[in-house]
Amino acid sequence: MLTASQGVGTTGMSTVNDEQLISGLSTAEAQLRLAASGYNELKPPNPRRIWHIVADVLREPMFLLLIVAGGIYLLLGSIDDALMLLFFVLLIVTLTVSQQYKSERVLEALRDLSSPRALVIRDGKQQRISGREVVQGDLLLLTEGDRVAADAVLLSCNDLLADESMLTGESVPVRKHPGNADATALQPGGDDQPFVYAGTVLVQGSGIGLVTATGKSSAIGQIGESLQDTRSGTSPLRIQTDRLVRRLAIFAGALCLLLVLTYGISRGHWLDALLAGVSLAMASLPEEFPVILSVFMALGAWRISRRDVLTRRLNAIETLGATTVLCTDKTGTLTENRMVIRELYSSGQMLQVDSHSPLPEPWHELVEFGILASERDPFDPMERALHELGLRTLSGSEHLHEAWQLVHEYSLSPELAAMSHVWQGDGQEHHMVAAKGAPEAIIDLCHLPDAQAASIALIAAEMADQGLRVLGVARAELKPGQDPEHQWPAQQHDIEFSFVGLLGLHDPLRPDIAEAIAQCRAAGVRVVMITGDHARTAQAIARELGLPSGQVLTGGELDALSDAALRTRLHDVQVFARIVPQQKLRLVEAFKANGEIVAMTGDGVNDAPALKAAHIGVAMGKRGTDVAREAAGLVLLNDDFASLVATIRLGRRIYDNLRKAMSYALAVHIPIVGMALLPVLLGEPLLLLPAHIMFLQMIIDPACSIFFEAEPEEKNIMQRPPRQANETLFGGMLLTNSLLQGLVAFAVAATIYAWAISQGFEENTVRALVFVAMVAGNIALVFSNRSLNASWQGAWSRENPVLWWIVLGGSAGLALVLSVPVLRGLFHFSGDAPHILGVGVLAAGSVLVFSAGVKRIMGTRK
């Protein structure tokens, strides 16, 4: 373990003195700097507090109409009616605020605010702190596998390699060299720089870094800031919903004005006329539509999160059902992001390795020296795979050497892609040397005859063609020199190595990946694999996945194509190899130019433009960068492709249920508006008062926002093609069907109204009969709209507990207002309750039957 004093120079800087370079900042100084500079993170979104929600509710038109209605009742001297409306005001405010506050908390809980942990020296001691608390001047202790928490200059390092691909797009780790505290900051990229950068990963070695920049001042923060400044536009569904609401509101306003004028001129009672207008406005106001959209998106994000997918932009949910092309990385998304040994080659024989069978003796030496050429506690996934195989197959044998001492090592170099470890064993006169690396490097080290070298190279190429990562292994015996200064050979080529064999490793496909791709194929979604692997490796993996692998387009070939030629090639190619992050953006734009709706996965900073350009950007949660997550609409928390496919399935379900809720919301308002107008046009007393309309809203609101959102998916949800991107949410046959269902419910209520008047019932009895019929028809419309392409009878078998809460709640509410004298008086009801409820049952049955007939005649289809 490095200490604070290792390699630390005495050169100071303006904010860090010599003592701080040795002992780190004091806790008090770190707190002062944190207060001055802020947390080491991009600025988080401003949360929507409860008082913001209350203020928004108080500005809602329905709330204002209730206040107006209460004022009119006070002017008319109806204190009881005014108090009842006040109760409804408080109830609506409470329910709305509670629902929206819950939605906000759901979204806030889903935000990915995690940051890497950092090991720092403060007060002369090592402390593990949150990466967001790192400040300029902190001493970072860096080791293999760390994600760097902030930009820093290296004061010391040992064999340190950093993966800076997220900043530069360069997949090869870069070598680091120590500098001093006064070093001038450089751009990322290139070997032998003394700087490490926030968000990059250390793949080898260790070091100490002095923090020079945090948060938005870091290299990754500056890129993130530029992306953060890019504002996303209003979503298509929101635009459609706002347009629909405006049109309905204009129509409702004109209707209300006409009613007030007609009532006031014909009867001379202007306060009653205004009350009638307010009642009609409450009946016709389309205030549910924006609420439906907001609740569906928020709860949809919560449902998607249960599939380990974080929704960062709600409009991504809208687009899921229209996705036609799904561009995905290979490593960690289609695969498990771990290496396992699949083939061993030694002494002219090939062995297929599985996870259960023992390892035959001829291959023991190969695994033994592969382990000796690896780190004892490895971070590299290939070295981990070697250790796991050794522990499973060689435990208890003489081939594992826990007691041996590592006395010297030779590192990888640009000139030779191989590394060697020199070991001292118990009672051995000679040291044992184990080497591993690229097959051609090991062949070179072993100085093999040309024929044998060509044969082994051919075997290695055949293994690579199967999608395997191939390593060569060699061994040697070495007697150390007597001169302590020249105890070991200067380079690996000076050691007489013997060839041991080849290791074939691969990143296994996720177990459910084949089924997920088959689901995409059935759903009309093209899966496109984009990888940095060699073309032959990509083809082998594509065959395993069941993707068409006959044509592979490489990054070099892509660069040589014009935009028009690329768009033509995209019709036939689903596998792209040797692709760098910058080329992803061009692929996204080409697919979009072909009229496709594109979802794109990515994890690095250089993937961010492609994620932003795609209709749905999907960032990786485990290995992805903060900048990629900022650019994406969705984040795969488990980096699993199957979760993304499940999200597409959920997206289709959410869109289906959204259409059902919209259809129901429009249909249910038609009988309310009709029965608010009809008595006035016939010269009869007002039938529906504000209290009645609010009772109906108590059923409509939960039905729209809770019941339909929780509806199960349609049976054929993943056996139909994606919806057209320009398809309107609510139009055509669906709109016509909704209007006809509403007219059916109005016709049933109007028939009961006409019958009650013809029977000579008094005003309050007529009101009770019609109101009960409307509540029953309302519940019937819930059943009728449970499926867009099936009858209500088929919808009975679907499980949705919210349905029975609505039915039982509505029925219980009716029973109370019909039987409790105080409530009967407040609602202006009279008559025999059992007979009135019987009329309601008849009304519900009539609406169900006639609505089913409308759906059959219209032939409504998704």
Side-chain angles (χ1 to χ4, degrees):
M1 174 62 70
L2 287 167
T3 64
S5 60
Q6 279 185 298
V8 176
T10 58
T11 302
M13 60 185 292
S14 60
T15 56
V16 181
N17 59 39
D18 297 344
E19 182 180 352
Q20 288 172 338
L21 285 175
I22 297 174
S23 61
L25 297 176
S26 67
T27 301
E29 175 66 17
Q31 293 299 324
L32 287 174
R33 296 191 181 200
L34 184 64
S37 62
Y39 284 112
N40 177 31
E41 61 183 0
L42 297 180
K43 184 179 179 181
N46 293 325
R48 188 167 177 245
R49 302 300 182 189
I50 192 166
W51 52 86
H52 298 141
I53 298 173
V54 172
D56 289 343
V57 171
L58 296 181
R59 289 193 293 266
E60 288 290 331
M62 183 64 75
F63 177 84
L64 298 177
L65 287 173
L66 282 171
I67 297 297
V68 171
I72 294 173
Y73 275 128
L74 288 176
L75 292 175
L76 292 172
S78 302
I79 304 298
D80 291 341
D81 289 321
L83 290 175
M84 183 170 60
L85 284 187
L86 177 62
F87 167 76
F88 275 121
V89 166
L90 296 175
L91 183 61
I92 285 178
V93 171
T94 302
L95 291 177
T96 306
V97 170
S98 174
Q99 186 180 59
Q100 292 193 23
Y101 185 74
K102 179 181 178 181
S103 297
E104 287 295 322
R105 298 289 73 76
V106 167
L107 294 178
E108 190 171 314
L110 295 177
R111 292 186 185 115
D112 186 12
L113 300 177
S114 62
S115 65
R117 305 291 291 175
L119 184 62
V120 300
I121 295 177
R122 288 183 180 173
D123 299 321
K125 300 177 182 178
Q126 295 183 15
Q127 298 183 32
R128 181 75 66 177
I129 64 173
S130 169
R132 68 196 296 264
E133 297 175 359
V134 171
V135 297
Q136 185 178 3
D138 262 328
L139 283 177
L140 291 177
L141 293 182
L142 305 167
T143 189
E144 185 178 288
D146 284 352
R147 186 177 292 276
V148 182
D151 289 3
V153 59
L154 288 168
L155 304 178
S156 70
C157 62
N158 179 36
D159 292 337
L160 191 64
L161 293 179
D163 178 359
E164 296 180 351
S165 58
M166 63 172 57
L167 293 173
T168 65
E170 175 56 54
S171 60
V172 178
V174 294
R175 186 173 59 250
K176 295 298 178 180
H177 189 275
N180 58 64
D182 284 339
T184 303
L186 301 172
Q187 291 296 318
D191 286 323
D192 296 328
Q193 282 196 20
F195 295 96
V196 290
Y197 301 94
T200 60
V201 178
L202 304 181
V203 298
Q204 180 181 304
S206 57
I208 293 180
L210 177 67
V211 174
T212 58
T214 62
K216 290 183 287 185
S217 299
S218 65
I220 193 173
Q222 290 170 9
I223 300 175
E225 185 73 7
S226 65
L227 285 171
Q228 200 173 45
D229 290 340
T230 303
R231 298 179 178 271
S232 298
T234 306
S235 72
L237 287 190
R238 176 65 66 183
I239 293 172
Q240 290 184 42
T241 303
D242 290 347
R243 185 187 303 123
L244 177 64
V245 168
R246 281 196 302 271
R247 290 173 178 174
L248 291 177
I250 291 172
F251 175 76
L255 205 60
C256 293
L257 180 60
L258 180 63
L259 177 65
V260 170
L261 293 175
T262 302
Y263 193 106
I265 293 172
S266 62
R267 304 191 188 188
H269 302 293
W270 286 100
L271 278 178
D272 287 339
L274 188 56
L275 184 62
V278 169
S279 298
L280 180 59
M282 293 173 62
S284 55
L285 192 69
E287 49 94 19
E288 292 92 1
F289 290 98
V291 173
I292 291 170
L293 185 59
S294 298
V295 171
F296 268 58
M297 294 300 104
L299 294 182
W302 171 74
R303 291 188 185 279
I304 288 174
S305 74
R306 299 175 69 184
R307 299 282 186 168
D308 287 329
V309 179
L310 171 67
T311 304
R312 294 200 68 259
R313 290 183 177 82
L314 294 182
N315 59 359
I317 299 175
E318 304 174 14
T319 316
L320 283 169
T323 301
T324 59
V325 171
L326 183 51
C327 300
T328 177
D329 292 326
K330 174 185 71 72
T331 303
T333 308
L334 301 176
T335 64
E336 296 181 4
N337 198 25
R338 67 183 182 93
M339 301 299 289
V340 297
I341 295 179
R342 181 173 169 181
E343 289 187 350
L344 298 174
Y345 172 79
S346 182
S347 303
Q349 300 181 64
M350 187 71 75
L351 176 71
Q352 299 292 324
V353 180
D354 59 49
S355 59
H356 306 292
S357 303
L359 187 66
E361 179 65 32
W363 287 274
H364 284 194
E365 182 186 42
L366 175 57
V367 176
E368 173 187 4
F369 279 88
I371 293 173
L372 288 174
S374 305
E375 300 293 334
R376 280 194 183 275
D377 186 17
F379 174 77
D380 181 87
M382 292 187 286
E383 293 187 351
R384 285 184 177 179
L386 268 167
H387 277 267
E388 289 171 2
L389 180 62
L391 286 174
R392 184 177 68 81
T393 61
L394 300 181
S395 293
S397 71
E398 71 278 8
H399 295 287
L400 293 183
H401 310 285
E402 292 294 332
W404 284 16
Q405 297 294 319
L406 178 65
V407 293
H408 191 67
E409 57 184 312
Y410 296 90
S411 299
L412 290 164
S413 69
E415 296 77 23
L416 184 66
M419 60 184 296
S420 299
H421 285 175
V422 182
W423 297 89
Q424 172 64 59
D426 295 335
Q428 291 182 346
E429 294 183 4
H430 294 80
H431 294 327
M432 301 301 298
V433 186
K436 67 175 175 62
E440 59 274 16
I442 295 299
I443 291 171
D444 186 28
L445 279 179
C446 295
H447 306 294
L448 298 174
D450 291 344
Q452 185 182 2
S455 175
I456 293 172
L458 180 61
I459 296 295
E462 291 174 352
M463 294 170 70
D465 286 345
Q466 301 173 45
L468 302 181
R469 296 285 298 275
V470 185
L471 293 177
V473 177
R475 60 168 294 175
E477 294 183 0
L478 182 66
K479 188 173 183 179
Q482 299 300 316
D483 184 357
E485 294 185 3
H486 302 87
Q487 189 174 9
W488 312 108
Q491 57 181 351
Q492 296 178 79
H493 272 295
D494 296 335
I495 303 172
E496 295 184 9
F497 282 103
S498 300
F499 183 76
V500 178
L502 299 173
L503 305 167
L505 303 98
H506 77 136
D507 185 359
L509 297 177
R510 292 182 181 267
D512 51 0
I513 196 66
E515 180 184 352
I517 289 179
Q519 288 182 19
C520 286
R521 190 181 300 113
V525 180
R526 287 180 65 201
V527 177
V528 172
M529 184 179 74
I530 300 174
T531 177
D533 287 333
H534 191 279
R536 290 182 297 186
T537 304
Q539 277 184 309
I541 295 168
R543 284 193 293 269
E544 285 190 72
L545 292 169
L547 293 176
S549 58
Q551 296 191 49
V552 178
L553 188 65
T554 66
E557 294 169 340
L558 187 150
D559 285 338
L561 293 174
S562 67
D563 289 343
L566 176 59
R567 292 197 297 270
T568 301
R569 288 293 304 275
L570 292 185
H571 293 298
D572 304 316
V573 179
Q574 287 184 241
V575 181
F576 297 84
R578 292 297 192 195
I579 298 295
V580 296
Q582 296 90 332
Q583 293 171 323
K584 288 185 177 181
L585 176 60
R586 191 173 177 214
L587 286 174
V588 168
E589 297 293 357
F591 275 120
K592 289 169 66 176
N594 282 348
E596 307 284 2
I597 303 299
V598 185
M600 166 68 78
T601 67
D603 53 12
V605 168
N606 276 23
D607 289 332
L611 296 178
K612 199 80 171 178
H615 295 96
I616 305 176
V618 184
M620 301 298 105
K622 288 184 177 179
R623 68 181 193 277
T625 65
D626 291 337
V627 172
R629 286 192 285 268
E630 286 294 322
L634 300 175
V635 179
L636 289 183
L637 298 178
N638 58 3
D639 295 0
D640 189 353
F641 180 83
S643 294
L644 183 54
V645 176
T647 302
I648 291 176
R649 187 186 199 99
L650 273 172
R652 292 187 174 194
R653 168 188 164 182
I654 291 166
Y655 190 83
D656 283 354
N657 289 346
L658 187 59
R659 298 183 77 209
K660 296 173 188 177
M662 294 287 192
S663 177
Y664 164 78
L666 180 61
V668 81
H669 276 83
I670 293 174
I672 301 176
V673 171
M675 294 314 299
L677 277 173
L678 186 60
V680 177
L681 297 177
L682 295 177
E684 298 290 335
L686 287 178
L687 191 66
L688 294 181
L689 302 174
H692 304 130
I693 295 171
M694 292 316 304
F695 187 99
L696 290 168
Q697 289 292 135
M698 293 298 103
I699 299 175
I700 295 171
D701 286 348
C704 290
S705 60
I706 300 176
F707 166 73
F708 282 108
E709 193 282 328
E711 274 289 87
E713 65 187 39
E714 300 284 345
K715 291 182 179 179
N716 67 337
I717 196 165
M718 291 296 279
Q719 281 78 48
R720 65 186 191 222
R723 62 179 173 83
Q724 294 297 313
N726 58 356
E727 174 185 314
T728 57
L729 171 67
F730 192 54
M733 297 295 288
L734 183 66
L735 177 61
T736 303
N737 181 68
S738 177
L739 292 172
L740 290 176
Q741 287 189 67
L743 289 173
V744 165
F746 168 64
V748 169
T751 300
I752 292 173
Y753 177 61
W755 170 78
I757 291 178
S758 69
Q759 296 298 310
F761 293 138
E762 60 105 4
E763 177 185 331
N764 287 347
T765 303
V766 173
R767 179 177 290 112
L769 285 167
V770 173
F771 181 75
V772 169
M774 293 179 66
V775 172
N778 189 333
I779 295 174
L781 288 174
V782 171
F783 280 94
S784 180
N785 284 280
R786 291 195 70 185
S787 175
L788 297 173
N789 52 13
S791 64
W792 63 269
Q793 298 97 320
W796 277 97
S797 60
R798 298 186 180 187
E799 294 185 5
N800 189 341
V802 181
L803 172 64
W804 301 111
W805 283 106
I806 292 174
V807 173
L808 294 176
S811 301
L814 278 179
L816 286 173
V817 298
L818 289 173
S819 57
V820 177
V822 175
L823 294 178
R824 282 166 64 96
L826 288 173
F827 277 79
H828 303 281
F829 288 162
S830 65
D832 183 53
H835 287 90
I836 293 173
L837 289 174
V839 171
V841 172
L842 178 63
S846 301
V847 172
L848 279 174
V849 171
F850 286 114
S851 294
V854 166
K855 291 177 70 174
R856 180 168 301 217
I857 293 171
M858 294 297 299
T860 304
R861 289 293 182 267
K862 285 278 292 161

